[in-house]
Amino acid sequence: ETGVTQTPRHLVMGMTNKKSLKCEQHLGHNAMYWYKQSAKKPLELMFVYSLEERVENNSVPSRFSPECPNSSHLFLHLHTLQPEDSALYLCASSQHSGNTIYFGEGSWLTVV
Amino acid sequence: DAKTTQPNSMESNEEEPVHLPCNHSTISGTDYIHWYRQLPSQGPEYVIHGLTSNVNNRMASLAIAEDRKSSTLILHRATLRDAAVYYCILRVGFGGSNYKLTFGKGTLLTVNP
């Protein structure tokens, strides 16, 4: 238990569906992150929110839409995804100037 | 971003020490050296970090070269639960007080019983 909870753990969606991944942290942190991990590829940083503002967007396609309503919650809204978007999506949190990032266990996404 | 170079894989025997090397020749003076590991089917977890001096914690030790261009993560007695991918990462600033970690491919550590 890392203090970062992701739901759902597994999601299968069609290319025309709209779904959302949810992340909640119970650590009192003020920065949150979305990472993507595809098979046999390094983790890719997608988005960074610091003090509830998006401060990094690593050229992520618009079919991925993040939302950070408060410092404890982070969402990743998904629509019209492609099969190549199938991956493990990891949420993480930290203090915005802190030294340690805490990851959740991830959400396994399969796009069919 | 400053990059790190690690061996793709290493093998160890249970109860023996493991030394995982990392090269980071383009490190800047303010970059912290971080190590994370990722067990199968889990998110990465923090192991240790340091700036200039060697560091010890309950999980591991971190030995940093005097010129900071390389470092070594030391697991003093490997167990089967230490089998994971180990990532050596430089924590770099990208604006204000914000920092980010850019993961490479890491080293897959196999521990033999």
Side-chain angles (χ1 to χ4, degrees), chain B residues 40-110:
Chain B
S41 301
Q42 293 189 26
E45 66 172 341
Y46 168 81
V47 178
I48 200 166
H49 77 276
L51 183 62
T52 56
S53 304
N54 294 344
V55 186
N56 300 297
N57 67 20
R58 64 174 180 81
M59 289 181 73
S61 295
L62 176 60
I64 301 172
E66 199 168 330
D67 63 5
R68 299 206 333 120
K69 293 186 177 182
S70 66
S71 61
T72 302
L73 179 71
I74 303 165
L75 307 180
H76 295 284
R77 290 179 65 193
T79 70
L80 297 178
R81 287 176 295 179
D82 291 322
V85 178
Y86 285 79
Y87 299 99
C88 169
I89 308 159
L90 300 182
R91 171 179 168 264
V92 297
F94 67 97
S97 301
N98 296 300
Y99 297 88
K100 64 180 177 180
L101 301 179
T102 302
F103 287 74
K105 294 184 179 179
T107 297
L108 174 62
L109 176 65
T110 302

Side-chain angles (χ1 to χ4, degrees), chain A residues 51-82:
Chain A
L51 303 173
E52 299 168 38
E53 282 192 30
R54 193 189 313 177
V55 295
E56 180 97 339
N57 177 344
N58 271 355
S59 304
V60 179
S62 59
R63 58 186 183 268
F64 295 92
S65 174
E67 179 190 2
C68 187
N70 55 61
S71 60
S72 299
H73 293 87
L74 185 65
F75 294 89
L76 188 63
H77 303 300
L78 317 167
H79 68 97
T80 59
L81 295 192
Q82 305 298 311

Side-chain angles (χ1 to χ4, degrees), chain A residues 9 33 35 37 42-43 45 48 50 55-56 88 90 96-101 103-105 108, chain B residues 32 34 36 38 41-46 49 87 91 94 97-105:
Chain A
R9 293 295 315 281
Y33 311 77
Y35 280 84
Q37 188 170 34
L43 277 82
L45 179 63
V48 180
S50 179
V55 295
E56 180 97 339
L88 176 66
L90 289 156
H96 79 285
S97 58
N99 262 315
T100 305
I101 291 182
F103 284 84
E105 293 191 328
W108 288 95
Chain B
Y32 280 78
H34 284 243
Y36 280 71
Q38 187 172 18
S41 301
Q42 293 189 26
E45 66 172 341
Y46 168 81
H49 77 276
Y87 299 99
R91 171 179 168 264
F94 67 97
S97 301
N98 296 300
Y99 297 88
K100 64 180 177 180
L101 301 179
T102 302
F103 287 74
K105 294 184 179 179

